[in-house]
Amino acid sequence: MSKLSNLGHRLHRGEIAYDFVGHRKIWYGVSILITVVAAVGLVVNGLKLGIEFSGGADFTTAKTSISVADAQSKIEGHTAGHDATIQKLGSGKLRIQVSDISTEASKSVQQNISKELGIPLKDIDAQIVGPSWGKEISHKALQGLIIFLVLVVAYLAIAFEWRKAVAALIALLHDLTITVGVYAIVGFEVTPGTVIGLLTILGYSLYDTVVVFDGLKESTKDITKQNRYTYSEIANRSLNGTLVRSINTTVVALLPVGALLFIGGGILGAGMLNDIALALFVGLTAGAYSSIFIATPIVADLKERDPAMKQVRKRVLARRASDATKAAEAAARGEEPADPEDGDGDDDQAEAAAAGAGVVGPRAQGTAPGSRSGGTRGASANRGTRGGRNRPSGKRR
């Protein structure tokens, strides 16, 4: 069995645990820091919108040996006063994008490109994209995002509770902010592929969060009937139980996305793959982080404010204080401290009722030297004096 699988089994059984919920203030601080950096990058650099959103011309040349740097230096100053973005496609072609130019200006730019790069004019394909198309795409994407978030919050509030819905919404906004901030800092163009990637990561981030929430729902089903663990402690144990599963799911999802980003986009020069892959790579990583370090701790914070959970915490702390007092008294008498019972609140009540009825369990009776137990000896004595006739135990003759 692999070490990771063994770790997963031990986490699931509760043999080991990492206190994610207990250190939630640290994770909140890290998330706030990352979000602030992303927001500053977005404000300072801004998003580099592709021609699909800003409008412009897209020129694609025939296969050529001219590098991107050479093409950039040759056509500089010949693009009607606008910056040109050049990409080397996997087929050896050059893709030159000039934003915010009219149809008339694009014809002169096409001629300048043909002249400076030494490529026949007929081998340069030009496409004009108006800004209205990009605005329509942006509007529909924003509309779809709002509808998606509303439906997600409504579903989680019905399937779980409103606290989990709020936590999931915060985690989703956290993932979106980080992904958009990385785009601004890196300087990648925002294209329709970027929008597709952003909408995709929302579904994945939500899936990972719901998996954790479902385990938490099962673990806290009868939490008010026990007095051993607080809600935060059970939430942390449930989170540890699904930790390895979340890690495995994230790694498996990141492998093909990383191949798209570094091989498809970096080596082959596929522009659309680059746009989608970067959004997916950053979003999947942020989604895995938020489902573990953000969503569940927020649920625990909100849940601990509930009056019922406050009563549970009060009973748990009272029981632990009582156990500590008993252990200290036993140590003062030089006795071995009794182990706390493993049962829940119902077991404690049953033991109390049994004690009131005069029934003593084996743990309280002790063991006499040279005998099995006091309870066994008492039972033998009772059998030996059945009916008061001192008849030995066994079958009647």
Side-chain angles (χ1 to χ4, degrees), residues 317-339:
L317 296 180
R319 173 171 179 168
R320 290 177 182 174
S322 175
D323 291 342
T325 302
K326 292 178 181 178
E329 292 176 354
R333 294 193 301 267
E335 300 175 355
E336 289 291 335
D339 295 332

Side-chain angles (χ1 to χ4, degrees), residues 17-78:
Y18 301 98
D19 194 6
F20 296 108
V21 178
H23 296 90
R24 54 185 175 270
K25 292 184 178 179
I26 298 177
W27 316 132
Y28 293 163
V30 172
S31 294
I32 292 174
L33 178 62
I34 296 175
T35 304
V36 168
V37 172
V40 170
L42 182 60
V43 172
V44 174
N45 296 339
L47 290 175
K48 187 178 181 182
L49 300 177
I51 62 172
E52 294 87 355
F53 297 98
S54 61
D58 188 342
F59 304 99
T60 304
T61 70
K63 184 177 181 180
T64 178
S65 59
I66 300 176
S67 66
V68 173
D70 291 340
Q72 189 76 48
S73 62
K74 288 180 179 180
I75 69 173
E76 186 177 0
H78 301 282

Side-chain angles (χ1 to χ4, degrees), residues 56 60 64 79 81 103 113 146 152 183 198 203 245-246 279 281 318 324 352 361 378:
T60 304
T64 178
T79 54
T103 303
I113 292 174
I146 294 175
V152 163
Y183 253 84
L198 289 175
R245 176 179 177 178
S246 298
F281 193 86

Side-chain angles (χ1 to χ4, degrees), residues 2-221:
S2 64
K3 293 183 178 180
L4 186 60
S5 177
N6 185 35
L7 176 63
H9 285 295
R10 295 180 65 191
L11 286 170
H12 185 73
R13 292 193 300 263
E15 296 177 4
I16 58 173
Y18 301 98
D19 194 6
F20 296 108
V21 178
H23 296 90
R24 54 185 175 270
K25 292 184 178 179
I26 298 177
W27 316 132
Y28 293 163
V30 172
S31 294
I32 292 174
L33 178 62
I34 296 175
T35 304
V36 168
V37 172
V40 170
L42 182 60
V43 172
V44 174
N45 296 339
L47 290 175
K48 187 178 181 182
L49 300 177
I51 62 172
E52 294 87 355
F53 297 98
S54 61
D58 188 342
F59 304 99
T60 304
T61 70
K63 184 177 181 180
T64 178
S65 59
I66 300 176
S67 66
V68 173
D70 291 340
Q72 189 76 48
S73 62
K74 288 180 179 180
I75 69 173
E76 186 177 0
H78 301 282
T79 54
H82 299 279
D83 294 332
T85 302
I86 304 177
Q87 291 179 326
K88 188 79 170 181
L89 303 180
S91 58
K93 300 179 180 180
L94 285 177
R95 183 187 182 189
I96 304 172
Q97 292 181 329
V98 183
S99 61
D100 198 20
I101 61 173
S102 62
T103 303
E104 293 76 12
S106 66
K107 294 180 180 179
S108 63
V109 171
Q110 184 179 9
Q111 293 175 354
N112 293 336
I113 292 174
S114 174
K115 179 181 178 181
E116 297 299 328
L117 299 183
I119 299 175
L121 186 62
K122 63 182 181 63
D123 292 336
I124 300 177
D125 182 29
Q127 292 181 349
I128 307 300
V129 180
S132 60
W133 184 83
K135 291 180 180 178
E136 183 180 357
I137 291 295
S138 302
H139 176 72
K140 289 186 178 296
L142 182 60
Q143 186 179 14
L145 176 62
I146 294 175
I147 294 175
F148 173 81
L149 293 178
V150 171
L151 292 177
V152 163
V153 171
Y155 168 77
L156 291 178
I158 296 173
F160 298 101
E161 59 173 316
W162 67 269
R163 297 175 183 86
K164 291 185 174 68
V166 170
L169 180 61
I170 294 175
L172 287 176
L173 296 177
H174 168 271
D175 301 341
L176 280 177
T177 304
I178 292 178
T179 305
V180 173
V182 169
Y183 253 84
I185 294 173
V186 174
F188 271 43
E189 281 191 350
V190 177
T191 65
T194 305
V195 178
I196 294 172
L198 289 175
L199 294 178
T200 303
I201 63 175
L202 293 179
Y204 176 85
S205 176
L206 181 65
Y207 165 78
D208 213 23
T209 303
V210 167
V211 168
V212 178
F213 283 175
D214 187 62
L216 180 58
K217 179 181 179 181
E218 292 296 324
S219 301
T220 58
K221 184 168 54 177

